[in-house]
């Protein structure tokens, strides 16, 4: 680039455009400074330097222009017709004639184009012609073709409306031709790409619009034809499309529905697929994808609802209160404006597992939770389910395919946030049809159930707002991965006082209604309720109690129906209970030793809750010939009966091994009733330990001390104290090891009328879960050695 002479010219500031060399255009003079600059130029050679201004800043390079003509525009504004000549670097202001601003300008001569410049110019010319073709400006394209030389072609960008004022100033201030061509070529490519994209979108929109218009016309024609033929299929399709438009469905669901509706329209009615598609569409439309019931977050009202429906169960009520408190806190903070992730109103649904014996109110508690929250309630029975398709549904290709129980439950609830009770989850099986418990993993995993996929729907179903409440009698049969997804809350049964309160507040009222009686027909005292609880039912729950109350009410109803109904109400007291129900089926002392050696009282947890078990031990003398006889065991062996599991069998062997290894335990406790040396007896003969109620399977590690006590009682001739029960595992060194189910076992002991219980010392913390009324009636001995158990349990020698 060669610089030539320095010129002194008047400066004309441009505020809304840029004039590049070779440009010819008209400029309106709207300011006194512009008029002064033109007057000064016309007074000389007609040259003026045009300097663009952006904001308060002038460009460093201007364009020297020749004023060819001056005149007025139609509106009366003065204007000049000028032609750009070349670039000029701006210098300092100098004095001059008139009011114009005179400035020194160093002329910048154009560069000689190189081969690279020629190539860039040719490519830029092609891009410009393509842009003008998209613009629909053939005349301007002809003008571009007439421009000669890379220098003039690079500066033609000054005419372009797609290039900003800043970019045009940048071109003006770039004297190097190669850089300038690269710059304008890049802008041209960007502009062309945007124009092509806009054209593509415009064409696609036009094509789609035309396609929809054609489809609409064809549908109208098809609807008219079907109407003439009396066909109802067309109206069904219209209803499907109308429902699709009116519903606020998730995007994926709406798209799949629209596709299936179109497929249904193309499928002949005679085809088997026609019925499958139609059934699927109706199933999807029946689901409440866009329905969420507002929940009540009143903690006090929810607690009152739970207390009115259920007596006791404070642990469950407290946990539900915590759940509600979290929901309320998140909602309140979201309303107040704190919408951070930690306080977002949406939270993952809770998954509670209520585990306890039958009849304690697990299933009915789920309904009370739904009423307290104001949510819909739905129950899914899982007992005996062995087919995975019951949970996930069948594939649509199968004949008779249908969705799984989870989807049907959501449809039944009519909302996406119900309280769903999965009943008897511990009784789910598995066979060649699959493993339903594995399918439940996705349902009960808060990290996955937002995209639960039913095989029939093949659509993501969001279960994250569902409050799942599962129920089970025992935890042992629930697979560990499934149990890991749930928060376990144990319901261990009711005390006698709680049962009386439940009967008075809930069961009596319900049985009165079912028997057609009123308060004017019968009244039942608390003592009568207590006699029913203690003498006719022996269970952790209240289901058997309700059946007995139903029997009482039916007998009373029979008497009322055959007598004058205007007479006084029949009062049911303990004597009347015996008259109506017969003699008591249970005695307080029936689960106690009868004073004979070899019998001990233990505590266990079965599938129906805590229970009191008697353990009997007997010793059989050796045969004289010492030979085996059939299935009898040889000398010194141990036989265990009563449908015992492997763990209890091992506990019996450990008990016998401990006594044989520690003969001083027997030597120091020998009683006057013992006819033989207990130390010698433990090493000879055959021992038989039996658990009565042999039809009921039993297993667990908590019978070790009971079997040890029974054998010591047998060998020493010292009976066990009848008011004492025990539980605990025993080791080979005589340590008493901790066990589980303390609360259920103590409740069973309390129901059985026992007053003293022997527990492992390591289970002391579990006593906090036991009701105070039960602990007040029981004397709990915490022991760590078998010696302590024997000293407490056996009567004095």
């Amino acid at each position: 680039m060669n610089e030539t002479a320095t010129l002194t010219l008047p400066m004309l500031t441009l505020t809304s455009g840029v004039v590049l060399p070779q440009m010819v255009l008209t400029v309106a003079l709207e300011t006194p400074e512009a008029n002064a600059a033109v007057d000064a130029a016309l007074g000389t050679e007609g040259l003026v330097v045009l300097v663009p201004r952006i904001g308060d800043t002038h460009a460093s390079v201007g364009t020297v222009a020749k004023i060819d003509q001056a005149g007025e525009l139609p509106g009366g504004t003065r204007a000049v017709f000028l032609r750009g000549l070349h670039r000029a670097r701006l210098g300092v202001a100098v004095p001059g004639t008139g009011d114009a601003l005179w400035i020194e300008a160093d002329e910048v001569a154009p560069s000689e184009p190189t081969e690279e410049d020629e190539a860039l110019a040719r490519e830029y010319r092609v891009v410009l012609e393509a842009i003008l073709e998209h613009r629909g400006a053939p005349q301007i394209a002809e003008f571009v073709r007439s421009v000669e030389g890379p220098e003039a072609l690079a500066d033609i960008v000054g005419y372009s409306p797609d290039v900003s004022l800043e970019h045009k100033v940048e071109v003006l201030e770039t004297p190097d031709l190669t850089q300038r061509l690269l710059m304008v070529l890049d802008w041209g490519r960007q502009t062309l790409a945007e124009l092509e994209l806009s054209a593509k979108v415009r064409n696609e929109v036009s094509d789609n619009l035309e396609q929809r218009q054609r489809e609409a016309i064809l549908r109208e024609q098809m609807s008219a034809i079907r109407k003439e033929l009396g066909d109802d299929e067309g109206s069904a399709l219209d209803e499907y499309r109308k429902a699709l438009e009116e519903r606020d469905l998730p995007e994926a669901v709406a798209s799949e529905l629209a596709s299936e509706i179109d497929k249904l329209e193309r499928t002949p009615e005679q085809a088997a697929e026609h019925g499958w598609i139609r059934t699927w569409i109706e199933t999807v439309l029946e689901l409440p994808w866009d329905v969420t019931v507002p929940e009540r977050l009143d903690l006090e009202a929810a607690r009152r609802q739970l207390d009115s429906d259920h007596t006791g169960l404070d642990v469950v009520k407290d946990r539900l209160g915590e759940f509600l408190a979290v929901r309320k806190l998140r909602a309140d903070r979201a309303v107040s404006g704190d919408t951070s992730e930690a306080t977002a109103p949406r939270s993952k649904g809770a998954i509670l597992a209520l585990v306890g014996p039958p009849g304690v109110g697990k299933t009915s508690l789920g309904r009370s939770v739904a009423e307290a929250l104001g949510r819909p309630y739905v129950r899914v029975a899982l007992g005996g389910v062995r087919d995975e398709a019951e949970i996930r549904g069948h594939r649509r290709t199968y004949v008779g395919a249908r969705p799984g129980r989870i989807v049907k439950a959501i449809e039944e609830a009519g909302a996406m946030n119900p309280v769903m009770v999965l009943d008897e989850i511990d009784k789910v099986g598995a066979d060649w049809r699959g493993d339903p418990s594995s399918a439940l993993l996705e349902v009960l995993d808060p990290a996955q159930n937002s995209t639960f996929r039913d095989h029939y729907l093949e659509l993501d179903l969001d279960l994250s707002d569902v409050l799942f409440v599962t129920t089970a009698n025992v935890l042992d049969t629930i697979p560990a991965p499934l149990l890991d997804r749930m928060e376990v809350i144990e319901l261990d049964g009711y005390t006698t006082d709680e049962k009386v309160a439940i009967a008075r507040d809930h069961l009596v009222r319900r049985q009165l209604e079912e028997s057609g009686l009123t308060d004017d027909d019968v009244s039942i005292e608390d003592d009568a309720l207590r006699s029913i609880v203690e003498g006719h039912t022996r269970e952790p729950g209240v289901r058997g109690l309700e059946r007995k109350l139903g029997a009482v009410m039916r007998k009373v109803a029979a008497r009322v129906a055959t007598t004058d109904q205007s007479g006084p109400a029949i009062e049911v007291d303990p004597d009347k209970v015996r008259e109506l129900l017969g003699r008591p089926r249970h005695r307080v002392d029936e689960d106690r030793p009868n004073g004979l050696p070899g019998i001990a009282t233990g505590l266990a947890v079965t599938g129906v809750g805590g229970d009191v078990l008697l353990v009997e031990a007997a010793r059989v003398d050796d045969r004289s010939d010492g030979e085996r006889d059939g299935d009898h065991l040889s000398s010194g062996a141990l036989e265990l009966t009563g449908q015992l599991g492997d763990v209890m069998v091992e506990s019996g062997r450990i008990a016998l091994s401990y006594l044989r290894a520690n003969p001083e335990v027997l030597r120091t406790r020998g009683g006057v009733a013992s006819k033989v040396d207990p130390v010698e007896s433990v090493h000879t003969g055959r021992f038989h330990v039996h658990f009565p109620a042999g039809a009921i399977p039993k297993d667990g590690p908590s019978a070790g001390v009971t079997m040890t006590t029974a054998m010591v009682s047998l060998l020493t001739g010292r009976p066990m104290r009848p008011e004492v029960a025990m539980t605990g595992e025993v080791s080979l060194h005589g340590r008493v090891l901790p066990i589980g189910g303390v609360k259920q076992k103590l409740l069973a002991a309390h129901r059985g009328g026992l007053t003293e219980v022997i527990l492992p010392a390591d289970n002391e913390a579990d006593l906090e879960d036991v009701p105070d009324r039960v602990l007040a009636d029981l004397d709990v001995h915490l022991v760590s050695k078998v010696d302590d158990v024997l000293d407490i349990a056996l009567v004095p020698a």
Side-chain angles (χ1 to χ4, degrees), residues 123-258:
E123 183 177 359
Y124 182 50
R125 189 186 301 275
V126 173
V127 171
L128 276 180
E129 292 178 356
I131 292 174
L132 294 172
E133 182 179 352
H134 279 285
R135 297 287 191 195
Q139 296 179 349
I140 302 178
E142 288 295 332
F143 168 72
V144 170
R145 295 188 188 99
S146 65
V147 175
E148 297 180 356
E151 186 83 28
L153 191 64
D155 289 339
I156 204 173
V157 72
Y159 291 111
S160 175
D162 298 316
V163 181
S164 65
L165 177 62
E166 292 80 2
H167 287 165
K168 291 179 180 179
V169 171
E170 189 176 355
V171 171
L172 177 64
E173 293 179 337
T174 305
D176 185 77
L177 177 59
T178 304
Q179 294 182 7
R180 205 181 328 145
L181 284 169
L182 289 172
M183 190 182 301
V184 297
L185 180 58
D186 182 56
W187 294 337
R189 288 169 177 168
Q190 293 180 13
T191 302
L192 181 60
E194 292 174 359
L195 290 173
E196 289 177 345
L197 179 60
S198 299
K200 180 180 178 181
V201 172
R202 186 167 54 252
N203 292 335
E204 290 179 353
V205 172
S206 177
D207 292 343
N208 291 337
L209 182 60
E210 293 177 359
Q211 178 67 22
R212 286 197 295 269
Q213 289 175 345
R214 287 195 299 270
E215 290 178 355
I217 295 173
L218 291 174
R219 287 196 186 97
E220 290 294 333
Q221 294 174 349
M222 188 177 296
S223 176
I225 294 172
R226 283 174 172 163
K227 186 176 181 181
E228 291 295 329
L229 295 175
D231 185 10
D232 295 333
E233 183 66 25
S235 60
L237 291 171
D238 293 339
E239 291 178 1
Y240 294 155
R241 289 193 173 94
K242 181 179 179 182
L244 179 58
E245 294 175 358
E246 294 176 349
R247 298 279 297 276
D248 185 17
L249 300 178
E251 183 178 353
V253 177
S255 175
E256 188 68 19
L257 263 176

Side-chain angles (χ1 to χ4, degrees), residues 463-761:
L463 301 178
S464 60
D465 281 337
V466 178
L467 173 56
F468 288 101
V469 178
T470 66
T471 70
N473 295 134
V474 294
L475 294 175
D476 300 342
T477 57
I478 302 177
L482 185 59
L483 186 62
D484 183 60
R485 267 73 174 180
M486 300 181 287
E487 179 180 349
V488 177
I489 301 176
E490 295 187 0
L491 285 70
D492 297 310
Y494 299 106
T495 65
T496 300
D497 292 338
E498 288 176 337
K499 287 184 179 181
V500 172
I502 293 171
R504 180 182 61 247
D505 298 337
H506 304 285
L507 304 183
V508 171
R509 174 61 53 190
R510 188 156 61 218
Q511 291 303 318
L512 282 174
E513 295 177 355
E514 292 184 1
S515 302
L517 299 172
T518 65
D519 293 335
D520 296 333
D521 298 322
V522 61
S523 65
I524 185 166
E525 301 175 358
D526 285 359
D527 290 342
L529 296 175
R530 186 176 297 275
S531 67
I532 297 175
V533 170
E534 295 177 345
H536 295 272
T537 62
R538 185 66 66 87
E539 58 174 352
V542 294
R543 191 167 290 150
L545 174 59
E546 185 170 10
R547 284 194 291 266
K548 292 298 180 182
L549 286 173
V552 170
M553 295 304 174
R554 288 193 300 272
K555 293 181 182 297
V556 172
R559 297 187 181 185
V560 171
T562 57
T563 59
D564 185 6
Q565 300 184 13
S566 62
I570 298 176
E571 296 183 1
V572 179
D573 55 17
D575 295 335
K576 181 67 71 173
V577 169
R578 185 177 181 86
E579 176 186 342
L580 297 175
L581 296 181
R583 64 178 180 81
R585 294 180 176 271
H586 303 283
R587 301 192 318 272
V588 173
D589 60 346
E590 65 178 345
D591 292 328
R592 300 185 185 183
N594 55 7
L596 296 176
I599 303 177
T601 306
L603 299 173
V605 177
T606 66
V608 293
D611 199 4
V612 179
L613 298 178
L614 290 180
V615 179
E616 299 177 348
R619 178 180 176 277
V620 182
D621 291 334
D622 290 339
R623 292 171 55 91
S624 59
D625 55 5
E627 297 177 355
R628 296 183 59 138
D629 182 11
D631 292 335
H632 290 282
L633 301 178
S634 61
S635 175
L638 174 67
E639 184 174 3
L640 295 161
T641 57
Q643 284 210 57
L644 307 184
D646 294 339
V647 177
M648 293 189 75
V649 171
E650 291 178 356
S651 296
R653 292 172 178 169
I654 292 172
L656 181 58
S657 298
Y658 166 72
L659 293 178
R660 287 178 171 177
N662 299 274
E664 67 278 1
V665 174
L666 298 171
R667 185 178 296 112
T668 57
R669 290 175 174 79
V672 295
S674 179
K675 300 178 181 180
V676 295
D677 182 7
V679 177
E680 180 183 353
S681 300
V682 77
H683 290 281
T684 61
R686 297 188 302 274
F687 291 89
H688 187 164
V689 177
H690 174 65
F691 286 74
I696 302 176
K698 311 171 189 68
D699 197 13
S702 59
V705 295
T706 311
M707 288 188 277
T708 304
T709 303
M711 285 189 280
V712 172
S713 172
L714 171 70
L715 294 170
T716 61
R718 294 171 56 182
M720 180 176 172
R721 295 168 57 202
E723 67 274 12
V724 179
M726 66 186 67
T727 180
E729 180 59 292
V730 66
S731 72
L732 286 172
H733 294 281
R735 293 185 298 118
V736 178
L737 305 179
I739 43 80
V742 172
K743 181 180 178 182
Q744 296 187 49
K745 293 175 180 178
L746 292 187
L747 289 175
H750 186 262
R751 287 194 303 269
L754 300 168
T755 58
E756 296 185 38
V757 175
I758 300 174
L759 286 181

Side-chain angles (χ1 to χ4, degrees), residues 158-463:
Y159 291 111
S160 175
D162 298 316
V163 181
S164 65
L165 177 62
E166 292 80 2
H167 287 165
K168 291 179 180 179
V169 171
E170 189 176 355
V171 171
L172 177 64
E173 293 179 337
T174 305
D176 185 77
L177 177 59
T178 304
Q179 294 182 7
R180 205 181 328 145
L181 284 169
L182 289 172
M183 190 182 301
V184 297
L185 180 58
D186 182 56
W187 294 337
R189 288 169 177 168
Q190 293 180 13
T191 302
L192 181 60
E194 292 174 359
L195 290 173
E196 289 177 345
L197 179 60
S198 299
K200 180 180 178 181
V201 172
R202 186 167 54 252
N203 292 335
E204 290 179 353
V205 172
S206 177
D207 292 343
N208 291 337
L209 182 60
E210 293 177 359
Q211 178 67 22
R212 286 197 295 269
Q213 289 175 345
R214 287 195 299 270
E215 290 178 355
I217 295 173
L218 291 174
R219 287 196 186 97
E220 290 294 333
Q221 294 174 349
M222 188 177 296
S223 176
I225 294 172
R226 283 174 172 163
K227 186 176 181 181
E228 291 295 329
L229 295 175
D231 185 10
D232 295 333
E233 183 66 25
S235 60
L237 291 171
D238 293 339
E239 291 178 1
Y240 294 155
R241 289 193 173 94
K242 181 179 179 182
L244 179 58
E245 294 175 358
E246 294 176 349
R247 298 279 297 276
D248 185 17
L249 300 178
E251 183 178 353
V253 177
S255 175
E256 188 68 19
L257 263 176
S259 176
E260 292 295 322
I261 293 173
D262 293 340
K263 186 186 297 184
L264 178 65
E265 189 173 21
R266 297 189 300 267
T267 304
E269 292 188 39
Q270 295 76 14
E273 292 82 1
H274 185 277
W276 300 347
I277 297 172
R278 186 165 183 169
T279 303
W280 184 89
I281 293 173
E282 293 174 351
T283 301
V284 174
L285 287 175
E286 288 171 358
L287 288 174
W289 301 94
D290 50 352
V291 180
T292 301
V293 177
E295 63 182 5
R296 292 195 297 266
L297 298 177
D298 189 341
L299 275 64
E300 295 181 358
R303 184 66 186 221
R304 287 195 300 270
Q305 177 72 43
L306 294 174
D307 288 339
S308 65
D309 292 343
H310 291 82
T311 300
L313 306 180
D314 291 334
V315 174
V316 185
K317 295 175 182 177
D318 292 342
R319 175 61 185 90
L320 294 173
E322 296 167 2
F323 171 76
L324 273 181
V326 171
R327 301 278 293 188
K328 177 177 176 59
L329 185 61
R330 292 165 67 92
D332 290 346
R333 290 189 174 178
V335 172
S336 64
D338 186 359
T339 56
S340 64
E341 181 180 355
T343 58
R346 180 185 176 91
S347 63
K348 295 179 179 179
I351 299 168
L352 307 178
L354 305 181
V355 181
V360 296
K362 301 184 296 295
T363 304
S364 61
L365 189 62
R367 183 182 296 275
S368 297
V369 171
E371 294 177 357
L373 296 176
R375 293 190 183 193
Y377 166 81
V378 64
R379 173 180 170 270
V380 178
L382 298 179
V385 172
R386 294 180 177 274
D387 189 354
E388 181 184 356
E390 293 285 343
I391 306 300
R392 287 192 180 275
H394 301 83
R395 300 286 182 184
R396 292 174 58 188
T397 54
Y398 296 162
V399 176
R402 63 180 185 273
R405 296 194 181 193
I406 302 300
V407 173
K408 295 299 291 184
I410 293 292
E411 178 186 340
E412 180 183 345
M416 297 300 294
N417 61 336
V419 174
M420 186 179 297
V421 174
L422 302 180
D423 217 1
E424 307 293 351
I425 198 171
D426 58 327
K427 296 176 180 60
V428 174
D431 58 15
W432 58 271
R433 290 169 292 186
D435 185 4
S437 62
S438 299
L440 286 171
L441 290 176
E442 185 180 1
V443 177
L444 298 180
D445 192 340
Q448 303 180 34
N449 63 9
S450 60
T451 56
F452 172 72
R453 206 167 184 87
D454 185 272
H455 287 161
Y456 181 78
L457 296 182
E458 283 299 329
L459 296 169
D460 289 341
L461 189 66
D462 189 355
L463 301 178

